[in-house]
Amino acid sequence: MSQFAMITGDVTYTPGDGAPIEIPRGRVEVELSFDSATLSWEAAPGIAGVTAIPLVQFEDYVRDGKITWLPD
């Protein structure tokens, strides 16, 4: 079941072996699994952004206050 959160700080993901890309601040949909978190957001009007990051990295962002959960 997905939940919603806010990106409130510098949060990045790294596609393949490329350079880190920043996820824009704002609301994201989060789907958690045993080893990763899938984040999706509106990158531009009508254009979806989506990535999966390791669960440990996601939990670090939450602990550091860079991602905050939104109430249900």
Side-chain angles (χ1 to χ4, degrees):
M1 183 173 147
S2 61
Q3 300 171 299
F4 291 94
M6 290 291 289
I7 303 294
T8 55
D10 294 330
V11 174
T12 62
Y13 67 97
T14 306
D17 292 331
I21 297 173
E22 188 169 350
I23 297 172
R25 292 174 194 235
R27 186 173 180 256
V28 293
E29 186 173 359
V30 180
E31 187 76 34
L32 298 176
S33 69
F34 73 96
D35 66 346
S36 64
T38 301
L39 309 176
S40 57
W41 64 95
E42 187 173 35
I47 299 173
V50 65
T51 191
I53 61 174
L55 186 58
V56 171
Q57 182 181 18
F58 176 81
E59 291 169 342
D60 287 345
Y61 284 138
V62 171
R63 185 192 67 239
D64 294 343
K66 295 178 179 184
I67 297 176
T68 56
W69 289 110
L70 294 175
D72 292 336

